[in-house]
Amino acid sequence: MKKSIFTGILILATALLAYGQEAAVKTNLLYDATTTLNLGFEFGTGTKSTLEISGNYNPWKFGKARWKHVLVQPEYRYWFCEKFNGSFLGAHALYAHYNVGGLSFNDNIRHNRYQGDLYGGGVSYGYQWILSDRWNLEVTIGVGYARLAYDKYPCAGCGSKIKSDHRNYFGPTKAGISIVYILK
């Protein structure tokens, strides 16, 4: 499934670039700092609108701790000035498959492992600064809703399932400081 998500993103990027639309490739430095591999594509859909599709993948396990996940987050953006310049408002969706446990966030995650799916959406605000003809810097923050469906296990790497459950979450759903390369 992980390879098919990234393959789908690459096929979409190639198809949209073939039509000569203005586009950008980006990486989120906040995800990079958490060892999460990520890549985003953004395509012009109008004079003041774009569609961004980002994919994130963290395959790592550190001893007993794991923060494995794959996340896909598409977002429609409306730009107040012009696309890829200045302020924008966005509406995003998100889906993730995760396997998390053994982390020191709190006692529950330190002593248990959670594996499941996350679905949600939200709104965001961001700003892009033009650094040069092809390079931009972007900051974005988003809030929204996510539903986490999961199976709980007694430790980070072992055990039989304790229970299946779900949680509803309201709060931050997107954060980024991204380096953007504009394709013209």
Side-chain angles (χ1 to χ4, degrees), residues 17 21-26 84 128-137 178-184:
L17 287 174
Q21 295 188 7
E22 192 171 275
V25 178
K26 58 180 67 178
F84 304 110
Q128 270 193 32
W129 291 271
I130 296 173
L131 302 176
S132 70
D133 190 37
R134 293 199 180 262
W135 293 97
N136 286 5
L137 177 67
S178 300
I179 297 294
V180 181
Y181 182 76
I182 306 293
L183 304 169
K184 294 184 180 185

Side-chain angles (χ1 to χ4, degrees), residues 26-40 55-58 60 62 69 175-179:
K26 58 180 67 178
T27 186
N28 185 336
L29 301 176
L30 295 180
Y31 289 136
D32 291 337
T34 65
T35 68
T36 300
L37 307 170
N38 71 93
L39 189 59
N56 307 291
Y57 178 55
N58 192 330
W60 317 117
F62 304 100
H69 67 275
I177 300 173
S178 300
I179 297 294

